[in-house]
Structure formats: structure tokens, C-alpha cells
Amino acid sequence: TILPFFAMNVFRLAVRQLSTAFPATPREVVDKMVKGNKLVLFMKGTPEAPLCGFSRTVVQLLGMHGVDSSKYSAYDVIEDGALRQGIKLYTDWPTIPQVFFDGEFVGGCDAMLSYHSSGELKTMLSKIGLKSEYTGSAEGS
């Protein structure tokens, strides 16, 4: 009969409307943020005014390589407590800052310092289409 067919279509329409009425999960929000950009930095503060030494160090490292804040997306986790918890759950990494290249989590401040010291950061930046302008010796930095 037509009644089950009609009921099923009404049910589908209701589910579709409900799914658009509720906001995305924190994981979906973070996933969209990191997968939509070449380089993403979740930090305390902003690139212009970092609120912790670790966030400041990552911003300075990127700057040393000629990657200024216009070339990446930065999100202040201090301003958004849900984002702060969401990013930690997303990566299963407890600390901030957190850096993503092409949607992949590459680490925090210690990892970025290590990549810089080994010279690997230049290669990593190149792979995402950002040319490093760093000309110094990274060893011992």
C-alpha cells in the first residue's frame, strides 16, 4: 500500500531535517578545520600575540622559515574551551600547540623544534607547497 511508502519518506525527511538542525560534533568541526587548510596551528593566543612560550616558539619557527601568519590558519584555544578539548580528543595529544600539515597532525612544539633542527621542516613545508626561506644552520638551534 502507499501508507508505508509515505511513512518512510516522512521519516527520511524528518531525519534529514534533524541532522541539519544540530551542530556538528567537535570531531567533525576539527576535521573540517584541519582538512581544509595546508597548515593549521591550534595555539594559545594568536600569532601576533601568543599567550604561552610553546605557542610563541612554533610561531617563531614558522616565521624563521618565511611562513608568516597569512600563510596558515591559526586558532586560539583560549577563546574556545570546546575547541581546546576537541582538538586534544581529536589527536589524543594532551598539550597545545598542535600543528597540522595537509590535514595530518605533525606534533607540537617539541616536534617542530626537532623537525627544524634536523632540517626536515624545510622538506615538510615544501611538500605542502610552502617554500622555506630559512638559510641558516638548524643544528643546535
Side-chain angles (χ1 to χ4, degrees), residues 50-116:
L51 295 177
C52 86
F54 299 112
S55 292
R56 179 180 314 281
T57 298
V58 171
V59 169
Q60 288 174 337
L61 280 173
L62 291 171
M64 287 172 60
H65 285 266
V67 181
D68 66 47
S69 62
S70 69
K71 296 177 182 171
Y72 60 90
S73 297
Y75 297 97
D76 181 0
V77 300
I78 299 290
E79 290 291 316
D80 187 341
L83 177 60
R84 184 176 187 167
Q85 291 311 311
I87 190 62
K88 290 177 181 184
L89 292 171
Y90 185 84
T91 58
D92 196 26
W93 192 258
T95 59
I96 303 293
Q98 293 189 16
V99 183
F100 290 79
F101 286 4
D102 267 344
E104 297 294 321
F105 177 54
V106 297
C109 183
D110 290 346
M112 291 294 285
L113 282 167
S114 177
Y115 297 139
H116 170 72

